[in-house]
Amino acid sequence: EAQVTQNPRYLITVTGKKLTVTCSQNMNHEYMSWYRQDPGLGLRQIYYSMNVEVTDKGDVPEGYKVSRKEKRNFPLILESPSPNQTSLYFCASSPRGRGYPDTEAFFGQGTRLTVV
Amino acid sequence: GDSVTQMEGPVTLSEEAFLTINCTYTATGYPSLFWYVQYPGEGLQLLLKATKADDKGSNKGFEATYRKETTSFHLEKGSVQVSDSAVYFCALSEWAGGTSYGKLTFGQGTILTVHP
């Protein structure tokens, strides 16, 4: 079954304790992204990756890191989490477009992170 | 930059009522437009899409028409069901030149609750 898998689904942590949220896709997609979802703001892109070893900042990258060492995996790293990073996080993947941006994005089930 | 504005929510309807969720966008080029749906506890999934002016996307009884002259992509359904209760996101993806990479710009989301 084609899917994007995130872990963990729920996480409560303390300020400053490094954490990693994993994301894996089994569709051989080139593009992967991380979004955060906050009430009234919709989803905002944190980082994206166009292929292995190619990553770039999205709209709200501060306080986050990512890596893309393998095509299927795209972990999100919070080196020193703070309470303002409490949010619902989604990983997404999509295939390379063929000249126009109509390709569907596939989303993981989300990770609800609380930083206290 | 690109932006998407959705009607304020939440929206509460009785079963079999008519649904409209308004969506307007701002983009520098010629975007593709999408509606994504998020059921409780799940990730987002594509509901429908349209890639050029006057295209109509449709799925599961939902429809939306790409209106370039009014920069709108309103979601409609003639008769909603309890199972349609979810959060609905309007989104756009704009070609960045060369091969598109699939960044989505989302509206803030509209919570729909349908009562029996």
Side-chain angles (χ1 to χ4, degrees):
Chain A
E1 180 189 354
Q3 59 185 3
V4 178
T5 303
Q6 291 178 232
N7 280 296
R9 293 289 309 276
Y10 302 91
L11 179 59
I12 300 174
T13 190
V14 296
T15 299
K17 185 176 181 182
K18 181 179 178 180
L19 66 91
T20 298
V21 183
T22 63
C23 174
S24 181
Q25 52 96 1
N26 63 1
M27 295 167 279
N28 202 37
H29 287 166
E30 288 84 2
Y31 303 124
M32 298 186 74
S33 295
W34 277 101
Y35 295 86
R36 60 177 288 173
Q37 181 182 359
D38 300 292
L41 297 176
L43 279 79
R44 294 175 292 167
Q45 191 184 55
I46 302 169
Y47 267 94
Y48 66 92
S49 169
M50 298 177 73
N51 216 324
V52 175
E53 302 291 0
V54 181
T55 64
D56 207 348
K57 297 177 181 178
D59 297 319
V60 288
E62 292 76 22
Y64 304 95
K65 285 176 56 177
V66 294
S67 69
R68 188 95 180 269
K69 294 185 170 59
E70 305 163 284
K71 197 171 187 179
R72 63 185 291 125
N73 295 324
F74 190 46
L76 179 70
I77 303 156
L78 285 72
E79 294 271 1
S80 182
S82 62
N84 64 11
Q85 292 178 297
T86 293
S87 188
L88 180 58
Y89 291 87
F90 287 100
C91 180
S93 73
S94 54
R96 181 195 298 269
R98 289 173 290 179
Y100 42 88
D102 67 341
T103 55
E104 176 181 355
F106 293 81
F107 286 80
Q109 289 191 291
T111 296
R112 185 165 293 281
L113 172 65
T114 302
V115 183
V116 298
Chain B
D2 297 346
S3 67
V4 176
T5 302
Q6 289 180 233
M7 65 184 289
E8 296 280 336
V11 174
T12 303
L13 296 173
S14 298
E15 207 164 26
E16 298 185 3
F18 183 84
L19 169 71
T20 299
I21 301 177
N22 290 337
C23 171
T24 57
Y25 68 89
T26 302
T28 53
Y30 204 150
S32 291
L33 302 174
F34 305 82
W35 277 99
Y36 279 82
V37 59
Q38 183 182 27
Y39 297 106
E42 299 183 12
L44 283 73
Q45 54 186 275
L46 181 66
L47 180 60
L48 53 84
K49 68 180 183 184
T51 58
K52 59 184 186 293
D54 300 325
D55 262 3
K56 178 185 284 188
S58 61
N59 186 24
K60 299 181 181 179
F62 291 89
E63 294 182 339
T65 301
Y66 190 141
R67 299 289 187 200
K68 194 169 189 295
E69 64 277 12
T70 55
T71 61
S72 65
F73 193 54
H74 304 321
L75 182 68
E76 296 182 337
K77 187 174 186 182
S79 176
V80 293
Q81 305 300 311
V82 172
S83 57
D84 293 326
S85 298
V87 183
Y88 292 81
F89 291 93
C90 186
L92 68 81
S93 180
E94 190 160 27
W95 186 25
T99 304
S100 69
Y101 83 88
K103 176 190 174 180
L104 289 162
T105 298
F106 286 91
Q108 65 267 45
T110 301
I111 300 172
L112 170 67
T113 303
V114 181
H115 292 298

